[in-house]
Amino acid sequence: MSTIGKALGLLDAISRLDREHGLSDIARLCALDKATTRRFLVELERHGFVEQDAETRKYRIGAEPVRLARIREARFPFLSLAVPVLRDLAAASTETVHLAEYSAGRLSNIHVEMSPRAHCVTVDVGSVLPFHATASGLAFLAFSPAGLAEQMLAEPLQAFTRYTLTRAPDLRAMLAETAERGFSISRQGLEAGVVSTAAPVRAPDGTPIGTVAIAAPLVRVNAVRILELGQQVAEAAGQISDAFFGLGQPAPTLSRKAG
Amino acid sequence: MSTIGKALGLLDAISRLDREHGLSDIARLCALDKATTRRFLVELERHGFVEQDAETRKYRIGAEPVRLARIREARFPFLSLAVPVLRDLAAASTETVHLAEYSAGRLSNIHVEMSPRAHCVTVDVGSVLPFHATASGLAFLAFSPAGLAEQMLAEPLQAFTRYTLTRAPDLRAMLAETAERGFSISRQGLEAGVVSTAAPVRAPDGTPIGTVAIAAPLVRVNAVRILELGQQVAEAAGQISDAFFGLGQPAPTLSRKAG
DNA sequence: AAGCGTCGGTTCAAATAGTGAACCAATTCG
DNA sequence: CGAATTGGTTCACTATTTGAACCGACGCTT
């Protein structure tokens, strides 16, 4: 594997940590030598991708990604156009809403609007969503070229709860349903006690570039309510697609590479 | 130089481009071999740091930095706390306001609030600010340990306009003035016809972590007005420092490494 | 339509960079 | 107090990166 790949993998590992960690910890986590890990961290730090706390000597994500993200947002204002819609959706549904973007073969959460209610689902920004176990993942695959779904189903599928669908035929059926319905539903696929529904944000040519999802506590949704939420999420996703590609956007095409 | 450094340098080069470019262009710009450039781009793409347009084959910043930036913002909400203050400042001053963050030895623009006026200064988000030629740079250095300023002054200083101060003694005088006054002033240092004033956002221990600046067309400011704007910018910078470190923030320390 | 330049992308021997076991010195813990 | 961490460094060994030369395709000009 290339050195660059290893270093960026290291950065990815750091991004998944819930708190700051030290050199030895990070080395163990990435199964890299301590010396190698250190060289990577130093190099990443030189470029602002990680920062080292001067006191604790622990490492965290640096400020350079913020700069890069702002540049991307300036040309491709996905977040800034989507957030108002998400806010409205959270208010209308009174449930937690989140937006994911597809990149590098993964679907990552990039924004969360919390439910105004006291009892609600929390979702981490920056987390990577498994395709088979989340409404977002299913919504994304259902509207992508069939090859992508098959590629994802071919890998071993982790069961996060005892409700997680892990058999390809079951998932294929879910995808077919989703494609017909216009939105996906996941019942406790990733987290026990949580039901989600999601719909794709699509480029003009139809390929999804991300998803918008609603996640609600199981106790608040019945068969009728989930369809209601699904309608709302599909509506919002359509709105974002239109807002984004409707005016002025050069509609960039994305090569849909393997994960 | 390490391969990682070269690859991240390439990413940095792409970030500075005003529009998307092709492989050969980028290779030329970075003085790297085409084959090497391609391997880097492919690797960066695999991890989502760049995207290649499927049609034009040109490269642009990818979505992964957005994910990383959101993670950082969730733990270290510099932007989200600063933006409301910047908005108020833009409204109060009726001039363009921008926020910069120090990282990897550079001061980068991470947010801009445009002046409500028709005739106003525009500032690019993501751009890197030269320390000696901008109000932000001077404000940052004036409140940093003296060693950092001397390090920056030691390098050859580019004259962006015929008003740019490039001699170390002149700049040292400016820094002394700035430290005393509490805010910096730059008259056409980077752009002809633009006057700026800036103040540092500081961690509890006093070291600056960024700056907030106002940039106004020369024709709208006289000696009195610039001091007025300076007062406002200093006030706003103080507000951001307080908002950020006042409550709950763990006040992380940053190792102040060379540029 | 032939000629030329440039594009994105690929190949493989030569050269350069990355690697990691062993080693510090400084903390932390029982 | 000593055992087991921690972050960090060294240097002989070796695997990875490098780039000139190559390809087919596209878009000009003649």
Side-chain angles (χ1 to χ4, degrees), chain A residues 164-183:
Chain A
T164 309
L165 298 181
T166 56
R167 287 181 330 203
D170 295 349
L171 287 161
R172 266 191 279 268
M174 287 297 277
L175 292 177
E177 252 182 63
T178 300
E180 199 178 331
R181 212 200 274 119
F183 56 87

mmCIF file of all heavy atoms in Angstrom, chain A residues 164-183:
data_model
loop_
_atom_site.group_PDB
_atom_site.id
_atom_site.type_symbol
_atom_site.label_atom_id
_atom_site.label_comp_id
_atom_site.label_asym_id
_atom_site.label_seq_id
_atom_site.Cartn_x
_atom_site.Cartn_y
_atom_site.Cartn_z
ATOM 1 N N THR A 164 -30.644 -6.019 12.303
ATOM 2 C CA THR A 164 -29.893 -5.665 11.094
ATOM 3 C C THR A 164 -30.063 -6.727 10.011
ATOM 4 O O THR A 164 -29.872 -7.914 10.279
ATOM 5 C CB THR A 164 -28.388 -5.531 11.417
ATOM 6 O OG1 THR A 164 -28.206 -4.675 12.537
ATOM 7 C CG2 THR A 164 -27.632 -4.979 10.216
ATOM 8 N N LEU A 165 -30.420 -6.283 8.834
ATOM 9 C CA LEU A 165 -30.503 -7.203 7.694
ATOM 10 C C LEU A 165 -29.092 -7.420 7.162
ATOM 11 O O LEU A 165 -28.390 -6.467 6.847
ATOM 12 C CB LEU A 165 -31.388 -6.623 6.593
ATOM 13 C CG LEU A 165 -32.847 -6.371 6.957
ATOM 14 C CD1 LEU A 165 -33.596 -5.826 5.749
ATOM 15 C CD2 LEU A 165 -33.512 -7.627 7.488
ATOM 16 N N THR A 166 -28.691 -8.681 7.071
ATOM 17 C CA THR A 166 -27.334 -8.960 6.598
ATOM 18 C C THR A 166 -27.329 -9.911 5.419
ATOM 19 O O THR A 166 -26.278 -10.195 4.854
ATOM 20 C CB THR A 166 -26.473 -9.579 7.719
ATOM 21 O OG1 THR A 166 -27.130 -10.749 8.203
ATOM 22 C CG2 THR A 166 -26.262 -8.606 8.861
ATOM 23 N N ARG A 167 -28.505 -10.417 5.043
ATOM 24 C CA ARG A 167 -28.538 -11.343 3.906
ATOM 25 C C ARG A 167 -28.887 -10.583 2.635
ATOM 26 O O ARG A 167 -29.851 -9.801 2.611
ATOM 27 C CB ARG A 167 -29.534 -12.464 4.165
ATOM 28 C CG ARG A 167 -28.986 -13.464 5.221
ATOM 29 C CD ARG A 167 -29.973 -14.569 5.453
ATOM 30 N NE ARG A 167 -31.332 -14.066 5.234
ATOM 31 C CZ ARG A 167 -32.408 -14.626 5.766
ATOM 32 N NH1 ARG A 167 -32.308 -15.695 6.541
ATOM 33 N NH2 ARG A 167 -33.596 -14.127 5.518
ATOM 34 N N ALA A 168 -28.108 -10.843 1.608
ATOM 35 C CA ALA A 168 -28.256 -10.124 0.341
ATOM 36 C C ALA A 168 -29.689 -10.138 -0.203
ATOM 37 O O ALA A 168 -30.195 -9.086 -0.619
ATOM 38 C CB ALA A 168 -27.265 -10.656 -0.686
ATOM 39 N N PRO A 169 -30.372 -11.275 -0.217
ATOM 40 C CA PRO A 169 -31.731 -11.277 -0.791
ATOM 41 C C PRO A 169 -32.669 -10.325 -0.047
ATOM 42 O O PRO A 169 -33.427 -9.581 -0.681
ATOM 43 C CB PRO A 169 -32.182 -12.731 -0.611
ATOM 44 C CG PRO A 169 -30.925 -13.528 -0.468
ATOM 45 C CD PRO A 169 -29.939 -12.629 0.187
ATOM 46 N N ASP A 170 -32.599 -10.321 1.295
ATOM 47 C CA ASP A 170 -33.434 -9.412 2.079
ATOM 48 C C ASP A 170 -33.154 -7.963 1.696
ATOM 49 O O ASP A 170 -34.064 -7.151 1.537
ATOM 50 C CB ASP A 170 -33.140 -9.574 3.584
ATOM 51 C CG ASP A 170 -33.526 -10.960 4.088
ATOM 52 O OD1 ASP A 170 -34.200 -11.693 3.328
ATOM 53 O OD2 ASP A 170 -33.139 -11.299 5.220
ATOM 54 N N LEU A 171 -31.871 -7.668 1.573
ATOM 55 C CA LEU A 171 -31.488 -6.295 1.265
ATOM 56 C C LEU A 171 -31.915 -5.901 -0.141
ATOM 57 O O LEU A 171 -32.375 -4.785 -0.372
ATOM 58 C CB LEU A 171 -29.975 -6.132 1.459
ATOM 59 C CG LEU A 171 -29.580 -6.113 2.949
ATOM 60 C CD1 LEU A 171 -28.111 -6.404 3.131
ATOM 61 C CD2 LEU A 171 -29.945 -4.761 3.561
ATOM 62 N N ARG A 172 -31.781 -6.852 -1.058
ATOM 63 C CA ARG A 172 -32.223 -6.570 -2.436
ATOM 64 C C ARG A 172 -33.710 -6.237 -2.459
ATOM 65 O O ARG A 172 -34.146 -5.315 -3.155
ATOM 66 C CB ARG A 172 -31.921 -7.759 -3.341
ATOM 67 C CG ARG A 172 -30.578 -7.635 -4.064
ATOM 68 C CD ARG A 172 -30.421 -8.688 -5.143
ATOM 69 N NE ARG A 172 -30.002 -9.966 -4.558
ATOM 70 C CZ ARG A 172 -28.739 -10.355 -4.418
ATOM 71 N NH1 ARG A 172 -27.758 -9.572 -4.838
ATOM 72 N NH2 ARG A 172 -28.446 -11.510 -3.876
ATOM 73 N N ALA A 173 -34.483 -6.968 -1.661
ATOM 74 C CA ALA A 173 -35.923 -6.698 -1.583
ATOM 75 C C ALA A 173 -36.168 -5.301 -1.028
ATOM 76 O O ALA A 173 -37.007 -4.546 -1.556
ATOM 77 C CB ALA A 173 -36.595 -7.748 -0.703
ATOM 78 N N MET A 174 -35.424 -4.937 0.014
ATOM 79 C CA MET A 174 -35.548 -3.604 0.602
ATOM 80 C C MET A 174 -35.234 -2.517 -0.423
ATOM 81 O O MET A 174 -35.916 -1.497 -0.493
ATOM 82 C CB MET A 174 -34.569 -3.446 1.772
ATOM 83 C CG MET A 174 -34.949 -4.195 3.033
ATOM 84 S SD MET A 174 -36.495 -3.611 3.717
ATOM 85 C CE MET A 174 -35.912 -2.185 4.643
ATOM 86 N N LEU A 175 -34.190 -2.764 -1.207
ATOM 87 C CA LEU A 175 -33.785 -1.777 -2.207
ATOM 88 C C LEU A 175 -34.866 -1.608 -3.271
ATOM 89 O O LEU A 175 -35.159 -0.494 -3.702
ATOM 90 C CB LEU A 175 -32.448 -2.177 -2.845
ATOM 91 C CG LEU A 175 -31.240 -2.102 -1.918
ATOM 92 C CD1 LEU A 175 -29.982 -2.594 -2.630
ATOM 93 C CD2 LEU A 175 -31.030 -0.674 -1.420
ATOM 94 N N ALA A 176 -35.464 -2.728 -3.670
ATOM 95 C CA ALA A 176 -36.532 -2.677 -4.682
ATOM 96 C C ALA A 176 -37.713 -1.871 -4.147
ATOM 97 O O ALA A 176 -38.228 -0.969 -4.816
ATOM 98 C CB ALA A 176 -36.968 -4.093 -5.060
ATOM 99 N N GLU A 177 -38.101 -2.180 -2.917
ATOM 100 C CA GLU A 177 -39.181 -1.441 -2.245
ATOM 101 C C GLU A 177 -38.872 0.054 -2.209
ATOM 102 O O GLU A 177 -39.721 0.886 -2.527
ATOM 103 C CB GLU A 177 -39.271 -1.905 -0.783
ATOM 104 C CG GLU A 177 -40.467 -2.763 -0.441
ATOM 105 C CD GLU A 177 -40.439 -3.097 1.048
ATOM 106 O OE1 GLU A 177 -40.536 -2.160 1.873
ATOM 107 O OE2 GLU A 177 -40.300 -4.292 1.397
ATOM 108 N N THR A 178 -37.640 0.345 -1.772
ATOM 109 C CA THR A 178 -37.222 1.743 -1.639
ATOM 110 C C THR A 178 -37.300 2.478 -2.963
ATOM 111 O O THR A 178 -37.808 3.601 -3.039
ATOM 112 C CB THR A 178 -35.770 1.802 -1.108
ATOM 113 O OG1 THR A 178 -35.717 1.171 0.161
ATOM 114 C CG2 THR A 178 -35.290 3.238 -0.996
ATOM 115 N N ALA A 179 -36.811 1.844 -4.010
ATOM 116 C CA ALA A 179 -36.808 2.469 -5.331
ATOM 117 C C ALA A 179 -38.225 2.802 -5.767
ATOM 118 O O ALA A 179 -38.482 3.862 -6.343
ATOM 119 C CB ALA A 179 -36.129 1.553 -6.340
ATOM 120 N N GLU A 180 -39.158 1.905 -5.455
ATOM 121 C CA GLU A 180 -40.538 2.108 -5.874
ATOM 122 C C GLU A 180 -41.210 3.202 -5.050
ATOM 123 O O GLU A 180 -41.888 4.078 -5.563
ATOM 124 C CB GLU A 180 -41.297 0.787 -5.696
ATOM 125 C CG GLU A 180 -42.585 0.746 -6.510
ATOM 126 C CD GLU A 180 -43.271 -0.599 -6.328
ATOM 127 O OE1 GLU A 180 -42.555 -1.600 -6.089
ATOM 128 O OE2 GLU A 180 -44.507 -0.636 -6.403
ATOM 129 N N ARG A 181 -40.941 3.151 -3.743
ATOM 130 C CA ARG A 181 -41.581 4.045 -2.780
ATOM 131 C C ARG A 181 -41.047 5.476 -2.886
ATOM 132 O O ARG A 181 -41.769 6.441 -2.684
ATOM 133 C CB ARG A 181 -41.290 3.492 -1.377
ATOM 134 C CG ARG A 181 -42.350 3.729 -0.368
ATOM 135 C CD ARG A 181 -41.768 3.602 1.025
ATOM 136 N NE ARG A 181 -41.724 2.266 1.568
ATOM 137 C CZ ARG A 181 -40.603 1.635 1.923
ATOM 138 N NH1 ARG A 181 -39.427 2.180 1.695
ATOM 139 N NH2 ARG A 181 -40.636 0.452 2.477
ATOM 140 N N GLY A 182 -39.740 5.573 -3.175
ATOM 141 C CA GLY A 182 -39.118 6.897 -3.245
ATOM 142 C C GLY A 182 -38.352 7.250 -1.982
ATOM 143 O O GLY A 182 -37.619 8.226 -1.934
ATOM 144 N N PHE A 183 -38.508 6.455 -0.934
ATOM 145 C CA PHE A 183 -37.727 6.655 0.290
ATOM 146 C C PHE A 183 -37.507 5.306 0.959
ATOM 147 O O PHE A 183 -38.256 4.356 0.721
ATOM 148 C CB PHE A 183 -38.411 7.644 1.230
ATOM 149 C CG PHE A 183 -39.813 7.277 1.616
ATOM 150 C CD1 PHE A 183 -40.066 6.439 2.699
ATOM 151 C CD2 PHE A 183 -40.896 7.788 0.901
ATOM 152 C CE1 PHE A 183 -41.364 6.110 3.049
ATOM 153 C CE2 PHE A 183 -42.196 7.464 1.249
ATOM 154 C CZ PHE A 183 -42.442 6.619 2.329
#
